[in-house]
Amino acid sequence: MFEVVIGHSNDPDSQEAIAEVLEECSTELAGTTPQAGILYAAIDFEHDLVLESIYQQFPQLELIGCTTDGEISSKLGFQEDSLTLILFCSDEIEIRAGVGQNLASNPVAAVEEAITNARSQVDGEISLCLTLADGLSNCGVTIVEAIKQSLGKQIPLFGGMSADRLQFQKTYQFCQQQVYTNAIAVLLFSGKLIHSYGVANGWNPIGKRQKITKVDKNIVYELDNRPILDFYQYYLNDSFPSLEYPLAVFDEDSDNFYMRVPNNYDTETGSVSFFAEIPLGATVQIVETNGDRIIESSPSSMLQAIDKYPGTTPTVALFFSCATRRKILGTKAEREYEVINSCLPRSLPSCGFYTYGEISPLEHYPETFLHHETLIALLLGTR
């Protein structure tokens, strides 16, 4: 047995919101005790109060969660400033939570702490890892690489970076009954879990591909030995970099790519800063989009996941979509979930959030990367 229930409330009062969420979950549980859960919460809720209420009802729950830039569920669709809780029930899947702190100063140690905390409670082999990490830590790439090093590249890895409604001040992570910042939380699954995933973005390339020839972590100085800012202004008709024009970073000699979003530039050095690291020697290309293209591309993530699903009927669909997609979509943001949901059976529970970075393999490549401005769809179930 592997079942999921979801509660979702857009009540702005923390006590009322979690009471509504727990009532919805309890009704659907019908006496079944959940083993684990994920909590997605808007930045302004009283998170300590919310967690206290959850653990009064489910004291043994293995829980992780984070703050977001928007919440998604099959209960209320897309919402801002809401609270959603997904609970996992199973007698054949073992699920355990762990947390690591001081992420920004030592991401490798924080990852190892989180993985060790969770894995020490798991009896069987790990089937899948979900992770939620501080989206302002500026070490997303290191986090992904550290998890792969700790668990092994063969373990499926998905998740997202916590957000704070584009305030870029402080995000929060949850594990068990505690609220953290500058931390990473993981949920390890063990047992006969099966999954599939899909990746969509909706960005189209402009200009030609070039090599990064000078970079310092997330600050790119030169492409093909010329200032990257010149490169941007040439293709953008003297406009400066913005979130609508990220860089596509190609995987080796393939057409598969992940994206990096610019967040600043320096006219004196000709450099452009991005929200995450880009490796020296990487092949990159400017890409562009608009709201209509984002919405048109969104169903492909779910259709890929459905097509690749190795079982008969999945138990749950999880989503990780980028906060910059929501910003570009503006008042059309709810359409993204609507077009994805149209691909799903009406009875299938689904839940997700808008992130500061999405964690998933590429579409046709098994290794996991940190993405930006991308929509990840993940189906979970058992055979």
Side-chain angles (χ1 to χ4, degrees):
M1 177 266 289
F2 181 46
E3 297 176 350
V4 162
V5 301
I6 294 172
H8 197 170
S9 173
N10 56 13
D11 194 310
D13 181 84
S14 297
Q15 188 67 67
E16 295 295 328
I18 190 57
E20 182 180 350
V21 165
L22 291 172
E23 183 177 359
E24 286 183 351
C25 290
S26 295
T27 299
E28 293 192 25
L29 285 169
T32 302
T33 300
Q35 181 183 165
I38 303 174
L39 174 69
Y40 297 130
I43 192 68
D44 292 328
F45 280 108
E46 297 176 63
H47 304 116
D48 286 316
L49 183 153
V50 169
L51 291 173
E52 181 182 355
S53 298
I54 292 172
Y55 273 84
Q56 283 177 354
Q57 190 149 337
F58 305 116
Q60 303 302 317
L61 194 67
E62 295 286 325
L63 179 76
I64 68 168
C66 67
T67 53
T68 77
D69 189 62
E71 305 78 42
I72 312 166
S73 85
S74 47
K75 294 287 188 177
L76 295 181
F78 165 75
Q79 295 288 319
E80 298 174 282
D81 301 319
S82 72
L83 195 70
T84 185
L85 176 66
I86 178 169
L87 297 175
F88 301 95
C89 309
S90 183
D91 56 7
E92 55 184 329
I93 304 295
E94 188 179 12
I95 311 171
R96 294 292 182 264
V99 66
Q101 300 187 67
N102 302 312
L103 183 65
S105 61
N106 197 336
V108 174
V111 165
E112 193 57 38
E113 180 185 4
I115 295 292
T116 299
N117 288 343
R119 188 156 51 180
S120 65
Q121 308 171 65
V122 176
D123 294 327
E125 295 184 1
I126 306 300
S127 305
L128 182 139
C129 175
L130 291 179
T131 186
L132 304 171
D134 192 332
L136 301 179
S137 61
N138 294 321
C139 56
V141 174
T142 304
I143 290 168
V144 171
E145 292 305 313
I147 294 175
K148 291 191 292 187
Q149 182 68 30
S150 180
L151 291 178
K153 292 184 178 181
Q154 77 281 4
I155 301 300
L157 170 61
F158 298 88
M161 308 296 286
S162 57
D164 65 347
R165 286 296 306 276
L166 299 180
Q167 298 172 28
F168 301 113
Q169 295 178 356
K170 183 179 287 189
T171 75
Y172 296 101
Q173 302 77 50
F174 317 132
C175 187
Q176 313 294 32
Q177 302 183 55
Q178 299 297 315
V179 179
Y180 298 88
T181 191
N182 189 25
I184 177 172
V186 300
L187 206 58
L188 297 184
F189 292 73
S190 175
K192 298 179 181 179
L193 186 76
I194 57 175
H195 79 284
S196 63
Y197 69 94
V199 181
N201 54 63
W203 266 254
N204 295 327
I206 56 176
K208 65 176 184 178
R209 299 184 187 183
Q210 301 201 24
K211 292 274 189 181
I212 291 183
T213 51
K214 185 178 180 182
V215 61
D216 181 12
K217 296 180 180 178
N218 66 315
I219 303 173
V220 179
Y221 291 91
E222 294 180 359
L223 300 181
D224 288 347
N225 300 308
R226 294 178 54 199
I228 184 176
L229 196 56
D230 292 352
F231 176 72
Y232 259 102
Q233 292 191 290
Y234 176 80
Y235 286 110
L236 301 183
N237 297 317
D238 292 328
S239 295
F240 288 101
S242 65
L243 61 86
E244 291 90 348
Y245 300 99
L247 281 185
V249 184
F250 291 87
D251 177 56
E252 297 177 348
D253 296 323
S254 75
D255 289 328
N256 292 322
F257 64 85
Y258 56 90
M259 291 193 291
R260 289 290 177 263
V261 181
N263 63 357
N264 205 350
Y265 58 87
D266 187 330
T267 55
E268 290 188 7
T269 63
S271 64
V272 177
S273 300
F274 294 84
F275 278 106
E277 306 98 308
I278 306 177
L280 180 67
T283 299
V284 298
Q285 189 172 19
I286 294 177
V287 289
E288 65 175 350
T289 195
N290 57 42
D292 289 338
R293 278 195 219 135
I294 289 176
I295 292 172
E296 288 169 5
S297 72
S298 296
S300 66
S301 64
M302 181 49 63
L303 293 174
Q304 292 169 36
I306 292 171
D307 183 61
K308 294 189 292 185
Y309 188 69
T312 304
T313 304
T315 300
V316 64
L318 301 179
F319 303 106
F320 306 94
S321 188
C322 191
T324 52
R325 293 171 70 90
R326 184 200 61 77
K327 183 173 175 59
I328 293 171
L329 287 171
T331 57
K332 296 181 180 179
E334 64 184 17
R335 286 285 297 143
E336 178 165 61
Y337 176 73
E338 289 174 358
V339 296
I340 305 168
N341 194 49
S342 67
C343 304
L344 295 173
R346 288 191 176 184
S347 60
L348 185 68
S350 59
C351 188
F353 78 108
Y354 281 87
T355 82
Y356 282 172
E358 306 77 54
I359 297 171
S360 166
L362 293 171
E363 180 181 348
H364 300 295
Y365 190 74
E367 190 166 340
T368 300
F369 292 88
L370 175 71
H371 301 258
H372 289 141
E373 300 202 348
T374 299
L375 169 65
I376 308 299
L378 174 64
L379 296 177
L380 300 178
T382 53
R383 294 191 184 278

